[in-house]
Amino acid sequence: MAPHTEQLTRPAAVRLRGLTRSFDGRSVLDGVDLDIPAGQFVALLGHSGSGKSTLLRAVAGLDHEVTGGGELTAPERVSVVFQDSRLLPWRRVLDNVLLGLDGRDADRKGREALAEVGLKGRERAWPNELSGGEAQRAALARSLVREPELLLADEPFGALDALTRIKMHALLRVLWEAHRPSVLLVTHDVDEAIVLADRVLVLDHGRIGLDLTVERPHPRSYRDPLLGEYRERLLAALGVTSDVA
Ligand SMILES: Nc1ncnc2c1ncn2[C@@H]1O[C@H](COP(=O)(O)OP(=O)(O)OP(=O)(O)O)[C@@H](O)[C@H]1O
Ligand SMILES: [Mg+2]
């Protein structure tokens, strides 16, 4: 097979066709079609209650009632990060990272992952000794140590202060560069989406309402005026203007 043909026929990491989900007769996802190529960094925006977490849970394989005759394909190795770190309080940080992992190399990999997120030396700390940002970094280490083909993140920085959030953006991007999983990042934060992702989606009325490719090199600056144009388009798709009052 010629190389270009191979590339064209390479399956997407995530493929959704006609994905539907209702709760008590109320439609939340109404025929979502989406392809995420392997290694792409995608952000998903949408109003509260628009179905972002529902979509993410479906892709994660956590929702067995989804589809309604639709199609859902996702990679085998998927890691999920949530708004709270979900570390087990009775296990030390390294043991949390290693949870469910076996093999001779597990310990070394866990320590390496903690070093990658800047937590070298905190392996034996208890989760309640970590700050919110540190706990989220431990959660990222726990997901990365599994070498996921797809990283799903549901507002992973939503509970952090603004400064910590900016540091976490840089860290997530560095980790992505090093490991290149496909990423689906759910966020409320338009700036987070355009600074981090190469493609930003807006979920609206149960479907992908806007699918925007962000063509700016990395690392991106929050002050890049060209990012402002993307911001305006996304805010318009979300039905808000950036003017106050
Ligand atoms: N298990 C459930 N049972 C009943 N309704 C549900 C359930 N899960 C989600 N819903 C409903 O589906 C809709 C979408 O919820 P979802 O959590 O996906 O929204 P979201 O876009 O993630 O919102 P937010 O930005 O506030 O996190 C909401 O109206 C919610 O009440
Ligand atoms: Mg949600």
Side-chain angles (χ1 to χ4, degrees), residues 91 95-102 146:
R91 285 181 184 259
D95 293 334
N96 263 286
V97 169
L98 295 179
L99 205 68
L101 208 69
D102 39 41
R146 283 156 181 77

Side-chain angles (χ1 to χ4, degrees), residues 46-149:
H47 284 286
S48 180
S50 59
K52 302 181 296 300
S53 297
T54 302
L55 181 60
L56 188 125
R57 282 175 50 80
V59 176
L62 297 170
D63 183 351
H64 300 294
E65 291 174 44
V66 80
T67 80
E71 183 187 335
L72 192 166
T73 312
E76 209 169 299
R77 290 198 312 278
V78 178
S79 287
V80 193
V81 185
F82 297 96
Q83 189 171 36
D84 56 309
S85 66
R86 304 201 177 184
L87 299 175
L88 300 176
W90 58 87
R91 285 181 184 259
R92 294 182 191 272
V93 167
L94 179 60
D95 293 334
N96 263 286
V97 169
L98 295 179
L99 205 68
L101 208 69
D102 39 41
R104 274 191 309 133
D105 271 354
D107 189 80
R108 179 184 55 79
K109 283 185 186 163
R111 288 174 189 277
E112 279 175 9
L114 281 170
E116 260 194 287
V117 301
L119 288 178
K120 191 172 167 53
R122 307 299 300 277
E123 293 84 358
R124 290 189 54 75
W126 297 104
N128 68 4
E129 294 169 346
L130 300 183
S131 71
E134 287 169 340
Q136 283 309 78
R137 284 194 264 153
L140 277 177
R142 184 182 51 193
S143 61
L144 282 176
V145 84
R146 283 156 181 77
E147 294 169 27
E149 296 158 87

Side-chain angles (χ1 to χ4, degrees), residues 214-232:
V214 183
E215 284 164 350
R216 299 294 296 153
H218 288 275
R220 293 182 186 151
S221 162
Y222 297 85
R223 289 179 295 274
D224 180 346
L226 287 175
L227 286 183
E229 293 171 21
Y230 292 106
R231 185 181 300 116
E232 292 305 320

Side-chain angles (χ1 to χ4, degrees), residues 28-29 33 63 68 86 97 100 115 163 191 203 223:
V28 172
L29 301 179
D33 294 333
D63 183 351
R86 304 201 177 184
V97 169
L163 277 180
D191 285 331
L203 191 60
R223 289 179 295 274

